[in-house]
Amino acid sequence: MMSFLPIILMFVVLYFLMIRPQMKRQKEQKSMMEALAKGDEVVTAGGILGKVVKVTDAYVTLEIADGTEVVAQKASVATLLPKGTIKSL
């Protein structure tokens, strides 16, 4: 039993330092994607900044300039920005 103690301790440390924080980030990302609504300002994983025009189950339509709309996957939305951020840039 004592020979397995270091291996068990290593897995416990690995869980608390890597696995648990990653699961927390995934949960926060999922809740952010579910809360996306028309009018939100977002940044995609590719760095595109835009305002949400339409939200469907798997896709979101972003207005990146006046009259220019882009369809992106919801999973590609990286950050939800505070309102008015696009105008201040």
Side-chain angles (χ1 to χ4, degrees), residues 19-68:
I19 298 171
R20 192 167 176 231
Q22 178 65 25
M23 289 173 32
K24 184 178 177 183
R25 273 186 247 118
Q26 286 176 344
K27 186 177 179 182
E28 290 172 355
Q29 180 75 12
K30 184 179 178 184
S31 66
M32 189 255 317
M33 283 191 303
E34 291 174 353
L36 282 177
K38 184 177 178 180
D40 287 343
E41 297 177 358
V42 297
V43 176
T44 65
I48 297 173
L49 191 71
K51 183 182 265 188
V52 176
V53 176
K54 180 181 172 186
V55 179
T56 61
D57 290 336
Y59 296 97
V60 63
T61 304
L62 303 174
E63 183 179 32
I64 57 175
D66 291 332
T68 306

